[in-house]
Amino acid sequence: MAAISIRTAPPTSLSFFSSSLFTTPKFQSFSKPNSLNPPNSSLSLSISCQVSTLPILSFTGEKIGETYLDLKTAPPDTARAVVHRAIITDQQNKRRGTASTLTRAEVRGGGKKPYQQKKTGRARRGSSRTPLRPGGGVIFGPKPRDWSIKINKKEKRLAISTALCSATESMLCVEEFGDKFEKPKTKDFIEAMKRWGLDPKEKVMFLMMDVADSVGLSSRNIGTLRMLTPRTLNLFDILNSDKLVLTPDAVDYLNGRYGVDVDIDNEDDEEEEGESEQDAGEE
């Protein structure tokens, strides 16, 4: 009797970097309509909408409301590949590629024959800069090179929004607290984190539209904390954090930049027009 093998579907969890951010969240999934496919079509869409509700906490730690994230996300079967490609691209593009070694033709000296060819009982030697001797050249050593690789802008945005969607269970929203610190004091900031249910020993990422000087000075001595703005938001810090803290303005920014209805092509055109106007002004 022939054995029957049963193939099970791959897990939907996005375990990556052993981070708790890639646990499978409980989302309300809404498919994006496609006019090219009939309503009963079995074709899966490449991008879906993930809606998640976040509590809004006051500076004292009390719940004062709720907000939501409505971001694009990749399907579970391709999400890990998209995020992996984006993080590898970011890490590889950071390599400077300045490692360099000298070959035997580039090492200084070695023009004179060390000793005569015969009658010494030793192996014949034509140069003291041979790779077989100390101080000689390096065989197939590293040379300066460009390690950068390209990734599509839409793919990178989809990776960031997918990572944010997978982190919603470890995410909370806090009201603007930039004016709550009269003077920089790390102790006060740690107490505020504890009121919000955050452990200073865990990796926490704050995303704010603007970091006040008192907040930046109060938090910079906490080694496990990252204070980011939309300009410095990156995929590695999202994956490497245990908790994510947003402000209401940051939530609106994420919905406006990574939402389902965002047209990246139009945004690119606007950015190019803005850059051209800026270059014309400089000239």
Side-chain angles (χ1 to χ4, degrees):
M1 181 177 179
I4 301 176
S5 61
I6 301 176
R7 299 183 61 184
T8 58
T12 57
S13 60
L14 307 177
S15 58
F16 189 75
F17 273 18
S18 300
S19 175
S20 61
L21 299 183
F22 273 80
T23 55
T24 306
K26 297 180 180 179
F27 292 128
Q28 299 176 2
S29 180
F30 300 91
S31 299
K32 188 175 180 180
N34 190 347
S35 59
L36 300 179
N37 298 328
N40 298 328
S41 176
S42 59
L43 297 177
S44 60
L45 299 178
S46 60
I47 296 177
S48 60
C49 172
Q50 303 290 354
V51 180
S52 180
T53 303
L54 302 178
I56 301 179
L57 303 180
S58 63
F59 185 72
T60 58
E62 300 176 356
K63 183 178 179 180
I64 58 177
E66 291 182 348
T67 185
Y68 71 94
L69 274 177
D70 185 9
L71 308 179
K72 294 180 181 179
T73 180
D77 55 342
T78 60
R80 182 172 181 177
V82 171
V83 175
H84 179 266
R85 173 173 166 78
I87 191 66
I88 291 299
T89 302
D90 289 345
Q91 293 298 301
Q92 190 161 331
N93 290 347
K94 289 181 180 180
R95 299 189 63 172
R96 299 177 61 185
T98 56
S100 180
T101 56
L102 301 180
T103 64
R104 65 177 299 167
E106 298 170 337
V107 177
R108 183 180 177 85
K112 180 183 177 181
K113 189 175 178 65
Y115 46 82
Q116 62 182 355
Q117 182 85 348
K118 298 179 180 297
K119 300 181 181 179
T120 61
R122 304 174 64 183
R124 51 192 174 184
R125 192 77 66 186
S127 173
S128 60
R129 294 299 177 255
T130 171
L132 305 180
R133 299 290 295 174
V138 179
I139 305 175
F140 303 126
K143 286 292 185 180
R145 58 173 295 184
D146 183 14
W147 289 94
S148 62
I149 55 179
K150 179 183 177 298
I151 185 173
N152 294 333
K153 185 174 294 185
K154 292 182 179 180
E155 187 177 2
K156 185 174 182 179
R157 282 198 181 186
L158 183 61
I160 293 178
S161 61
T162 302
L164 290 171
C165 287
S166 65
T168 50
E169 288 189 349
S170 304
M171 188 183 298
L172 57 91
C173 184
V174 178
E175 67 173 353
E176 297 291 343
F177 55 90
D179 56 345
K180 302 295 183 181
F181 295 90
E182 298 179 356
K183 60 180 180 178
K185 195 170 184 180
T186 306
K187 183 178 179 180
D188 295 343
F189 196 88
I190 293 178
E191 292 178 354
M193 291 179 61
K194 292 181 178 179
R195 291 196 299 267
W196 298 329
L198 303 175
D199 187 0
K201 296 182 179 180
E202 292 182 341
K203 297 179 181 180
V204 183
M205 189 195 81
F206 282 78
L207 179 60
M208 305 174 62
M209 297 302 296
D210 187 18
V211 180
D213 294 339
S214 58
V215 175
L217 295 175
S218 300
S219 60
R220 67 178 180 178
N221 286 335
I222 305 176
T224 58
L225 187 142
R226 294 282 295 167
M227 191 71 65
L228 303 181
T229 60
R231 187 179 183 85
T232 59
L233 179 64
N234 61 90
L235 186 59
F236 180 82
D237 286 330
I238 297 174
L239 299 177
N240 197 37
S241 301
D242 297 324
K243 299 288 185 179
L244 273 71
V245 181
L246 310 177
T247 59
D249 292 341
V251 173
D252 296 338
Y253 166 80
L254 294 178
N255 289 330
R257 184 172 180 82
Y258 302 102
V260 178
D261 298 330
V262 177
D263 190 356
I264 299 180
D265 297 334
N266 293 338
E267 289 188 358
D268 296 342
D269 296 339
E270 292 176 0
E271 292 177 359
E272 292 179 357
E273 291 177 0
E275 293 177 356
S276 60
E277 292 178 358
Q278 183 177 1
D279 296 340
E282 292 178 356
E283 293 177 358

